[in-house]
Amino acid sequence: MARRMMSLLPQRSSRVFSVELNGAPFYFSTQEAHRGEEVPNVFRETQPDTRCYSLLVCSSDTIRRAKFYGDLKEKLLRDLPPECHLSPMCSFLPNVRDSLLKGYFLKDNSESSSPTERLLKDLTQRDPVLVCSYLRGEHGHLWTQHLWSPADSQTMEKSKDFYVVPSEAPEYHPSTLNIINSDVFYSFEEAYDVLKKCGDIIPEATSVLELLPSRAEARSKPDFPVIVIEGLDATGKTTLTESLRETLGASLLRSPPQCLSPMRARFDREPPLIRRAFYALGNYITAEQIGQEGRKTAVIVDRFWHSTAAYAIATAVSGPVCNLPAEGSEVYRWPSDLLQPSLVVQLTVDPEERKRRLRGRGLGTTEEEQELDHNQLFRLKVEKAYQRIIGPACVTVDASPSADQVLQQVLLLIRGKCHL
């Protein structure tokens, strides 16, 4: 771990830091000399007796890093004094992929620094975490960043303090630098590798791997058309897919596949890297089933890769819709080794109508679906991500009219596109 921290030191003055306050990112950077810059916004509102710290998870082991970051917030909330306030933060090299380090920014308003600093020092001894303290200069006009070194490391030189200065927002939201094969998976092998590494710590991972098809089976092209129906919960997917199955005499499949249902609750508790790999592999199992059923008849699929990707992208990228990767970005491309459907239909309804339908159903929803209900911004980001995915792109259909009207509209699309 000491070597890993040393490897970050030459990059330190090139890195940008982002702290999330009330859903908005505030950026700052560090430099060796101060040139009269203003105090960064994240420090400007701090009280004279407030102490500030940052914690960044920096293990080179991606699984360990994901697991530790997932547990870190709970540990800090449990063990820190109640006067401490946590905010999500990250550090990254602008426009450099896979340079993102995630962590937390801590403002400590407790009477004594001892309990907080004891906990942070303990973290640097045992865990893959990089801790910095921020020191206020005279009159609060200057702030410096001090990198903590593990006390038991005799090989590390004492780190130099850097001045903290404001930084402009980067060209790309920092999370977009880390989406590929982390929040969204674009190949069987990348997702498989994550779950394979989890076998020792998550027994269910081995069970998932035993269900997986070969890569060739996940890409085998069916003889009959494949129609995917996408959309948020309560947009009418179940009603429409059942009607299409009956009308067309088609097979109906759902993603994630039924065989993964016993493991879903376990993986939903895992950090995004592991959870997303699980759902990505579910798409490959569904693709194998599509290939088999598609030899005999047309196949209707209730959700597929579009859902997996859209929710992951919207969750990973904080802030407004404009923070999403731009249209045409590689994050919206279809995995080259995954079967492509003939047609993807995205059902949409007015948000209030969707809420009314959800209340009428009275069913439990996933954490992400609950987020849709009270966070309009998240819903807009999910819908925008849906619209930007290509290979194939979604055809949007208003599902507000009667179920029969929606069915007839979708049948027209299918007959025009798939010649059924």
Side-chain angles (χ1 to χ4, degrees), residues 125-416:
Q125 296 296 310
R126 299 182 297 102
D127 298 302
V129 64
L130 189 72
V131 175
C132 291
S133 54
Y134 295 84
L135 310 176
R136 183 198 308 265
E138 188 177 357
H139 307 303
H141 295 318
L142 296 177
W143 284 77
T144 54
Q145 181 194 68
H146 173 71
L147 174 67
W148 290 20
S149 300
D152 60 349
S153 173
Q154 303 302 318
T155 59
M156 289 183 62
E157 299 177 7
K158 179 175 173 58
S159 65
K160 179 179 180 180
D161 290 356
F162 281 67
Y163 289 101
V164 177
V165 297
S167 179
E168 294 183 1
E171 180 182 359
Y172 302 107
H173 186 280
S175 293
T176 65
L177 304 171
N178 211 50
I179 285 177
I180 295 177
N181 294 323
S182 178
D183 294 289
V184 184
F185 287 87
Y186 299 85
S187 76
F188 179 95
E189 288 182 352
E190 291 284 354
Y192 178 92
D193 188 54
V194 170
L195 255 63
K196 185 177 181 182
K197 291 177 179 176
C198 292
D200 293 340
I201 55 176
I202 306 174
E204 292 84 351
T206 302
S207 301
V208 174
L209 297 181
E210 291 171 352
L211 296 169
L212 294 177
S214 70
R215 291 180 58 187
E217 289 171 326
R219 293 185 63 185
S220 59
K221 189 172 179 62
D223 299 320
F224 288 84
V226 178
I227 298 100
V228 174
I229 307 300
E230 291 281 5
L232 310 181
D233 271 8
T235 53
K237 293 189 307 301
T238 301
T239 300
L240 177 61
T241 53
E242 292 285 356
S243 298
L244 289 171
R245 178 181 61 81
E246 293 176 8
T247 305
L248 300 173
S251 293
L252 174 57
L253 298 172
R254 291 183 171 86
S255 184
Q258 184 65 32
C259 62
L260 293 185
S261 293
M263 284 86 89
R264 286 185 68 178
R266 177 67 172 86
F267 282 95
D268 281 344
R269 298 195 301 267
E270 293 300 325
L273 174 72
I274 299 170
R275 184 169 73 250
R276 301 305 183 190
F278 167 76
Y279 282 105
L281 291 173
N283 286 321
Y284 288 92
I285 296 174
T286 298
E288 178 194 25
Q289 296 172 347
I290 293 170
Q292 294 171 350
E293 294 297 318
R295 298 191 190 106
K296 303 172 288 186
T297 183
V299 181
I300 309 299
V301 189
D302 186 340
R303 287 187 166 173
F304 198 36
W305 191 81
H306 283 74
S307 286
T308 308
Y311 278 87
I313 293 167
T315 303
V317 181
S318 61
V321 175
C322 63
N323 283 351
L324 291 174
E327 189 171 0
S329 167
E330 61 182 333
V331 306
Y332 300 117
R333 62 179 169 83
W334 191 270
S336 60
D337 61 353
L338 182 65
L339 179 146
Q340 292 189 10
S342 314
L343 173 67
V344 181
V345 175
Q346 180 192 2
L347 301 181
T348 63
V349 295
D350 176 81
E352 291 306 315
E353 169 64 13
R354 197 182 76 87
K355 287 183 180 180
R356 186 189 66 77
R357 293 181 183 184
L358 280 170
R359 287 194 295 269
R361 287 162 53 173
L363 298 176
T365 58
T366 65
E367 183 177 333
E368 286 172 339
E369 285 293 344
Q370 292 171 5
E371 180 75 3
L372 289 171
D373 289 343
H374 70 266
N375 188 333
Q376 181 185 19
L377 178 57
F378 182 61
R379 176 180 58 78
L380 292 173
K381 288 194 292 185
V382 171
E383 291 179 338
K384 183 62 71 176
Y386 265 127
Q387 294 163 15
R388 290 179 176 176
I389 293 171
I390 57 173
C394 291
V395 178
T396 302
V397 170
D398 181 6
S400 300
S402 69
D404 187 62
Q405 287 177 290
V406 175
L407 172 62
Q408 296 307 317
Q409 188 176 351
V410 173
L411 285 172
L412 283 175
L413 284 171
I414 293 172
R415 286 165 184 152

